[in-house]
Structures are given as structure tokens and as C-alpha cells.
Amino acid sequence: MAPRRPTSRDVARLAGVSRTTVSLVLNNVPDVHISPETRQRVMDAARQLNYYPDVSARRLASGRTRTIALVWHRGPDQTYQDAFLPGVLQGITRAARHYGYYVLFRPIEPDEPNGSYVELARGRHTDGLILSGPRSDDPHLLHLHRDGFPLVLHGQLPGADIPSVDVDNVRGAMTAVEHLLALGHRRIGTITNASLAYTSSRQRLDGYRQALEQAGIPFDEDLVRYGNFDEGSGQAAMEMLLSLDRRPTAVFVASDMVAMGALRAIQDRGLRVPEDMAVVGFDDIPPSRFIAPALTTVHVPTFGLGWSAAELLIRIIEQDIPNEIHALLKTELMVRESCGRRTAVGRPGEQ
Amino acid sequence: MAPRRPTSRDVARLAGVSRTTVSLVLNNVPDVHISPETRQRVMDAARQLNYYPDVSARRLASGRTRTIALVWHRGPDQTYQDAFLPGVLQGITRAARHYGYYVLFRPIEPDEPNGSYVELARGRHTDGLILSGPRSDDPHLLHLHRDGFPLVLHGQLPGADIPSVDVDNVRGAMTAVEHLLALGHRRIGTITNASLAYTSSRQRLDGYRQALEQAGIPFDEDLVRYGNFDEGSGQAAMEMLLSLDRRPTAVFVASDMVAMGALRAIQDRGLRVPEDMAVVGFDDIPPSRFIAPALTTVHVPTFGLGWSAAELLIRIIEQDIPNEIHALLKTELMVRESCGRRTAVGRPGEQ
DNA sequence: CTGAAAGCGCTTACAG
DNA sequence: CTGAAAGCGCTTACAG
């Protein structure tokens, strides 16, 4: 940009006012009376000079960046995360824009040193952070929170009372299992999405257990197997369930990716879905709609998660802190083909 | 953050040096000799005070933001874009981090006023922009380029000589069609990914034509149908191809999303893939691996696109401009099930 | 090898 | 309703 950039001084000169007035007008500062004529003169001058305020100067003077960052910890569940990223990011950016904020995207690779995101806060890069996949043993997180830096977690961190946004995993799992029960299944297996060290795994398993309990079906440890994010783990887990003496007639797989493997295991045995084995998943990743049979699954509202997180964070930044700082979003059961239609006669339960 | 943030002055005082020295040490400015002892004293003081330089101040003083933005125009092909976003963004952020840059993500919704991204450049928000889905009638783009603002396009913009990164659509389409030819097909249809107003559509159709030409097969207008990003368009287009008196034995669908619809149309007719109709797609979106039969398709290197774009942009920003400012990335044919295996005896061509 | 000083371009009390 | 002035916290010639 060869020609010198115009500054607020140039605008002020052209409009015949002070730089103060230029700033007041351009930032639309409330409760300050400036005549409409003056306002117009300033606007016209700015337009004529093609003036854009220098954001770095503005930030330095105001102490606010109007930027938030999404800190996206990459873990062993990359494919899974990738399925969520577009929706979450769109939710965040839309909310951010609505409130006049910018969004910095900061993925953290597994090999980066712990807490390498703190400079985004300490260096006044951003006014607040949304963190996905936080680890409970992260001292930097706690320090930042203690120092009053605005933070919102995606997911939950037991213990610390940091604002958070998550999906209602327990209720989501319950609706999935209730769907199977309504179809007449009584012997229902489950495969977790990951190890129970993950909060979401524990919660989804809890939902499974609660749904059975409400239906008066005793919880049977034998019907629980453990997945680990990927297809391979689902395939292995399903094979174990299929090898049971009294195998289930239906299975709740707490992750669509894992369910892909489970479906393969079922089909490899020459069994049919849903006739021989009903399957319900969780997450509603894009492939689930396209496979045959299309997977009935629990939809996770990615856009809503992003929007809620950004909105909550911005309210905290702007000191308009809501009473409830933990949001739990509703899921929705997507009934497709892998359990048979609800209208169909339920499969006869065992015995 | 209640306690006053430490500034470079505090660090200087504690280390017993001037602020200049602090800046020189912390920024690792080359070609300036400072004794190792002094260096160490500064580092220690910074650590002890938990000092992080204020980036706004740094940017204002240096005139550089070390930030690039991805401007992501949302169009009619959202699902398609969502399949690409994670890879592209990861490529960009990894390259950015490698060179010490931050990444701002700025999606543009279809209803936003034209050129609403220019403030990112004019307001000195970023040092450069990567733009996806640029429209050739965008005057702001041309102005920015004329003013010397660093820009890299994702995709190509005929006419303007703006640096760009794209996938080699022509060669990609050729390998897809050559695969079908190698399997013995001679009557091969095609369905475009979108209207020919899109450069990628035109190029992929060109690849189809060239592959046929090289095999000595005359181009037949009847075998060309037009898709429009989504499944529905693929289904409709495929139905037309299936209604032909002499229908093709194979089809190259220039988009996996569109291919999903084409597959449905084939199966709705009770025909089998690949036995009755071989199908090869383009893009390699996640669902393509999971459907049955798994889709043979042309893989688009999303990570590479992102990395190349960011790297090219940063080189331009740092005045280290390469000779070739237009990158064309190689695709890779992913042979799966929808064309039959290469090892299988080729299907007999018509006649 | 190091320091005093100007300057980056805004915002914001404060005074009028 | 408007203006003069201080200040935000750095970097960077420049002088020594």
C-alpha cells in the first residue's frame, strides 16, 4: 500500500473537527451528543479518504481486542473432531460476528507443550478463550481462571467451576436406548465411544444404564464393551458381543465412528441390520446419513454448541454474566434405518 | 487479572538493562551482539515476572501483525465446503505456526455485503489474506491486489494474476476416466460437479474429454449431464443417463456429493454397482469411504492446499516471492469398490 | 555492546 | 457539544 494510510487526524482535518470527535462518531459511543451534521461530516470524510481505523492502535488504547480464540486440542479422535469442527466453528463465528468479535483459530497438536495457548491470554491477544478437549490436569487453565480471564470450556471439567457448554450426553443416550426399548428390544448391548476416563463416555454409559433401569431391565456387565474412537475398536467390540452365548438383539454404540466398525462386524458374520441386530449410534457425523442402512443416531447440535459457547464467553467478557454458566444442549434422535422403523412391528425381545 | 501486568519496563528494571535490550533479546533480533550473560538475565527476569509482551503494542510499533486470515466464502455448496474445511484449516494453521503466524477465521455468509472482508486488510488486522471461493466480479479484491496487499486465492480466478493455489482438476479427472478405460469401459458418461460457470466444473469436464480423446473415443454430448453440488442433482442427472437408449457402462461423477445421488438412482433401478454401472467420483469426502460399495474417487489434498496457500502467502508477506505464484496440487486416485477392482477382468466394453 | 527518545495511531478522562 | 493532552506498551533508528 504505497500511498500513506489515512489516520484519524486526516479525517478530523477534512471534517473540521478534533480527533476525539472522529473517534466518538466512528465508534458510535453512546450517551454523547454530537449534532447530526457533524456526525455526517465525519462519516463523509472517512468514506472519502477510505479510512479504516488501525486496529492495533485501537486495541492498545482501549485495552480490548474484540477477538476470541477457539483453542482446539487435537487428541486421538481426529476424525471425530473433524466431523464437528465445521459446525462448531460456524456457530462460534456467527455469534462472534453478531456481537462484533473476531475469531482466532488455534489448534493444539498433541506434541505441543502443555499450556502453549496461554500467550493468547497473557499477551492480550484475545479477550477470552473457548477451549475444547481441556485436560483436567492443566494448571494453566486454573491459573487463567483464577486471574479472572474469561474462559468457556467445550465439554466438562469436573471439579473446577469454569463456565462450560456441552451436549446432554446422559439424556441423549437415554433417548437412543428408549428407542430400542420401544421397538421391543429387551436384551440391548452397548459399546462406549471411548475409555471411561472421558466424561462423555461415562455419561453416555450412564444414560444407557438409566434407560434400562427405568424399563426394569437389570444392568448386565456382559453386554458392555469398550470402544476407542475408531472403527477398529467398534469392530472388535462388536465381535465380542456377537460371540456371547445369549447375544443381544440390539446395540447402542455411543459414537458413529465406532458404530461403523460395529456394522462391519455384524455384516461380516452374515447378519442383517436391523433384522438380526438393531444399531443406534451417537454424534450424527456426515457419513451416517449415507451408509446403508442409514444409521439411526443421536444428533449433536454442533452449531448450537459453538454459538452458545461464544455467546456465553462474550457475555462474561462484557461483564454481563448469566446466572447459569453451564449450558447443556439438547440432542435429537435421528430415526433412520438401522433400527427398523418405529412404525414396524417391534422385534420380538428374547424370551 | 487484578495485579498490574508487567511491562517491558519492569523486565528491564529487574534485569538491570534498558527496554531496548529487553526487546532485542526477547525478539531474538539477529545481527545484534548482546552478551550471553545479559541475555540470560533478561530471560530470567521475564520468566520471573511471568512477562508476555502486549501484542497490540508490538503490532502498532512494528507495523506487522503476524496474523493471516482465511476468508471463507459460503456458497451453495456448504456440505461440500464443510468436508474440506478441517483439512484446509489444519494445513493453514500448521504452516502459519511453523512460520510464527496466527490465523483468523472469517467465514462470509451469502447475504453479507460484497467485500466485507476488506477491513481485515485496510484496518491492519492481518498481514495477508487467503480467500476461498472468490468471485471474479469482486472489485475489492482487485483493489487490494493493486495496492500490493498480500493475497492468495484458493481456486483460480481467470484474468487477474493473483497468486493462487488449486488442485489439478484436469489431471485428476483424467486419471479417473483413464481408470475406467483401463477396466475396459468404452461408453463412459459424466456428470459435472456444478454448472460450467465454476472453473472446477469446466476443468473436470475438460479432463474427461481429454482422457477420451487420448483413447480415441469420440466425445458424445449425450453422455454429459450437469450436477449442482447436491445429491438431488446427481440423482436426476443419473436418471437421464440411465434412460438413454444406449446407456453408458460407467460414469465419472465430478463430485462425491453428486455421486451419492447418482448411486441412489442406479440402485433405485435395481442395477448393481459396479457390475451394471461403474462409478468414479471426485473429492474423496469422508462418507465415500463408508458407503457400500465404497466409492472409488479422486482424492483432493486438503491439508496440502491449506499448507501451500499459507506458505505462499507468508513468503509474499516476507518479500521472499517465489517465481511460481500459482500452485497446482496433485490429486490421487483412491481405488475402492465402485468400479470393480483393477485386478478383475475388465468389463467388456459395448460392442 | 547499550541507552535515551521518538513514534506507531488510536481512546479517554478532563476541562471548557 | 467539542478540543488539547496524556497515555496505552511496544519497536527502532540513532547516538554513543
Side-chain angles (χ1 to χ4, degrees):
Chain A
M1 305 227 243
R4 194 177 61 79
R5 294 184 36 151
T7 69
S8 67
R9 166 165 281 123
D10 299 317
V11 177
R13 197 174 298 149
L14 183 59
V17 299
S18 72
R19 292 161 71 207
T20 305
T21 306
V22 171
S23 174
L24 261 25
V25 169
L26 262 31
N27 288 317
N28 238 310
V29 176
D31 301 329
V32 57
H33 281 226
I34 294 177
S35 70
E37 294 76 33
T38 304
R39 239 171 237 286
Q40 195 56 51
R41 274 215 315 285
V42 172
M43 303 291 278
D44 289 348
R47 179 139 335 141
Q48 189 181 329
L49 294 172
N50 196 28
Y51 170 70
Y52 287 85
D54 183 302
V55 296
S56 298
R58 201 204 278 260
R59 289 172 174 185
L60 179 58
S62 71
R64 309 210 26 220
T65 64
R66 295 201 79 87
T67 300
I68 60 178
L70 170 60
V71 177
W72 189 256
H73 283 97
R74 298 228 158 242
D77 51 342
Q78 284 231 14
T79 318
Y80 171 77
Q81 294 184 327
D82 281 355
F84 276 31
L85 184 62
V88 169
L89 208 43
Q90 201 190 160
I92 292 175
T93 49
R94 288 274 270 275
R97 185 158 176 73
H98 179 257
Y99 291 102
Y101 281 72
Y102 295 92
V103 176
L104 208 65
F105 179 60
R106 174 71 167 93
I108 310 268
E109 306 302 326
D111 60 331
E112 285 189 48
N114 214 308
S116 56
Y117 60 85
V118 300
E119 54 157 352
L120 293 178
R122 304 282 185 199
R124 280 206 172 139
H125 227 298
T126 61
D127 295 336
L129 258 32
I130 296 172
L131 294 111
S132 86
R135 312 201 323 204
S136 48
D137 60 346
D138 183 350
H140 302 94
L141 190 60
L142 272 21
H143 283 156
L144 243 29
H145 183 56
R146 175 176 39 60
D147 289 349
F149 189 81
L151 248 34
V152 167
L153 305 181
H154 243 176
Q156 292 165 67
L157 198 59
D161 196 41
I162 303 178
S164 69
V165 167
D166 202 357
V167 84
D168 191 338
N169 286 301
V170 177
R171 279 237 41 90
M174 286 183 74
T175 61
V177 176
E178 283 161 3
H179 179 63
L180 294 172
L181 289 165
L183 291 172
H185 294 281
R186 314 248 76 204
R187 194 161 172 76
I188 302 170
T190 190
I191 300 174
T192 67
N193 46 319
S195 106
L196 296 188
Y198 289 82
T199 312
S200 65
S201 289
R202 213 152 353 96
Q203 292 173 333
R204 292 176 188 184
L205 183 56
D206 264 9
Y208 161 80
R209 191 196 304 251
Q210 287 183 35
L212 291 187
E213 214 161 78
Q214 280 187 12
I217 299 177
F219 177 76
D220 181 351
E221 192 79 55
D222 280 357
L223 295 178
V224 180
R225 291 297 131 107
Y226 298 87
N228 188 34
F229 300 116
D230 60 12
E231 289 174 82
S233 71
Q235 190 165 3
M238 192 70 221
E239 272 157 13
M240 294 168 73
L241 286 178
L242 290 172
S243 306
L244 252 33
D245 284 345
R246 288 176 54 228
R247 73 172 181 229
T249 61
V251 59
F252 162 53
V253 187
S255 147
D256 285 3
M257 272 306 291
V258 176
M260 298 290 167
L263 289 171
R264 178 166 333 175
I266 296 167
Q267 285 157 354
D268 281 355
R269 283 244 184 172
L271 299 175
R272 292 160 309 163
V273 175
E275 292 83 353
D276 303 312
M277 180 71 68
V279 178
V280 56
F282 203 119
D283 290 340
D284 196 20
I285 61 177
S288 303
R289 273 176 51 217
F290 295 109
I291 59 174
L295 188 65
T296 290
T297 188
V298 179
H299 177 75
V300 169
T302 54
F303 182 92
L305 283 170
W307 179 285
S308 306
E311 192 170 50
L312 178 56
L313 180 61
I314 291 169
R315 288 190 60 178
I316 293 171
I317 290 170
E318 302 189 343
Q319 315 267 29
D320 173 27
I321 304 174
N323 292 324
E324 186 49 68
I325 59 168
H326 299 287
L328 222 46
L329 273 67
K330 281 197 181 58
T331 56
E332 187 186 353
L333 184 71
M334 310 298 289
V335 177
R336 295 204 269 245
E337 299 164 357
S338 63
C339 299
R341 300 240 141 236
R342 199 190 279 278
T343 47
V345 174
R347 284 187 45 68
E350 283 230 332
Q351 40 209 282
Chain B
M1 305 224 243
R4 194 178 61 78
R5 297 188 45 190
T7 69
S8 67
R9 167 165 280 123
D10 298 317
V11 177
R13 196 174 300 149
L14 183 60
V17 299
S18 71
R19 293 161 70 207
T20 306
T21 307
V22 171
S23 174
L24 263 24
V25 170
L26 262 30
N27 289 317
N28 237 311
V29 177
D31 299 330
V32 55
H33 282 224
I34 295 178
S35 70
E37 295 75 31
T38 304
R39 241 172 236 284
Q40 195 55 51
R41 274 216 314 286
V42 171
M43 303 291 278
D44 289 347
R47 179 137 338 138
Q48 190 181 328
L49 294 172
N50 197 26
Y51 171 70
Y52 287 86
D54 183 302
V55 296
S56 299
R58 200 203 280 259
R59 289 171 175 186
L60 179 59
S62 72
R64 310 209 26 220
T65 65
R66 295 200 80 86
T67 300
I68 60 178
L70 169 60
V71 177
W72 189 255
H73 282 97
R74 298 228 158 243
D77 51 342
Q78 284 231 15
T79 318
Y80 172 76
Q81 293 184 328
D82 281 355
F84 276 31
L85 184 61
V88 169
L89 209 43
Q90 201 189 162
I92 292 175
T93 50
R94 288 274 271 275
R97 183 156 177 74
H98 181 255
Y99 290 102
Y101 282 72
Y102 294 91
V103 177
L104 208 64
F105 179 60
R106 174 71 167 94
I108 309 268
E109 305 303 325
D111 60 333
E112 285 189 49
N114 214 309
S116 56
Y117 60 84
V118 299
E119 55 155 352
L120 292 177
R122 304 282 186 198
R124 279 202 173 142
H125 227 298
T126 61
D127 295 336
L129 258 31
I130 296 172
L131 293 109
S132 85
R135 312 200 325 203
S136 48
D137 60 347
D138 183 352
H140 301 96
L141 190 60
L142 271 21
H143 283 155
L144 242 29
H145 183 56
R146 175 176 37 61
D147 289 349
F149 189 82
L151 249 33
V152 167
L153 304 182
H154 243 178
Q156 292 166 68
L157 198 60
D161 196 41
I162 303 178
S164 68
V165 167
D166 202 357
V167 84
D168 191 338
N169 287 301
V170 177
R171 279 237 41 89
M174 286 183 75
T175 61
V177 176
E178 283 162 2
H179 179 63
L180 294 172
L181 288 165
L183 291 171
H185 294 280
R186 313 248 78 204
R187 192 158 172 78
I188 301 171
T190 190
I191 299 174
T192 67
N193 46 319
S195 106
L196 297 187
Y198 288 82
T199 312
S200 65
S201 289
R202 211 151 357 93
Q203 292 174 333
R204 291 176 188 184
L205 183 57
D206 263 10
Y208 161 82
R209 191 195 307 249
Q210 286 183 37
L212 291 186
E213 214 162 77
Q214 282 187 11
I217 299 178
F219 177 75
D220 181 350
E221 191 79 55
D222 280 356
L223 294 178
V224 180
R225 290 298 130 107
Y226 298 88
N228 188 34
F229 299 116
D230 60 12
E231 290 175 81
S233 71
Q235 190 165 3
M238 192 70 222
E239 272 157 14
M240 295 169 73
L241 286 178
L242 290 172
S243 307
L244 253 33
D245 283 344
R246 287 177 55 230
R247 72 174 181 228
T249 62
V251 60
F252 162 53
V253 187
S255 147
D256 285 2
M257 271 307 292
V258 175
M260 297 290 165
L263 289 171
R264 179 166 333 175
I266 296 167
Q267 284 156 354
D268 282 355
R269 283 242 184 173
L271 299 175
R272 293 159 310 164
V273 175
E275 292 82 355
D276 304 311
M277 180 71 68
V279 177
V280 55
F282 203 119
D283 289 341
D284 196 21
I285 62 177
S288 303
R289 273 175 53 216
F290 295 108
I291 59 174
L295 188 66
T296 290
T297 187
V298 179
H299 178 74
V300 170
T302 54
F303 182 92
L305 283 170
W307 180 285
S308 306
E311 192 170 51
L312 178 56
L313 180 61
I314 290 168
R315 288 191 62 177
I316 293 170
I317 290 169
E318 302 189 343
Q319 316 267 28
D320 174 27
I321 304 174
N323 292 325
E324 186 49 67
I325 58 167
H326 299 286
L328 222 45
L329 272 66
K330 280 197 180 61
T331 56
E332 187 187 352
L333 184 71
M334 309 299 287
V335 177
R336 294 204 269 245
E337 300 164 356
S338 63
C339 300
R341 299 239 141 237
R342 198 190 280 277
T343 48
V345 174
R347 285 186 44 68
E350 284 229 332
Q351 39 211 286

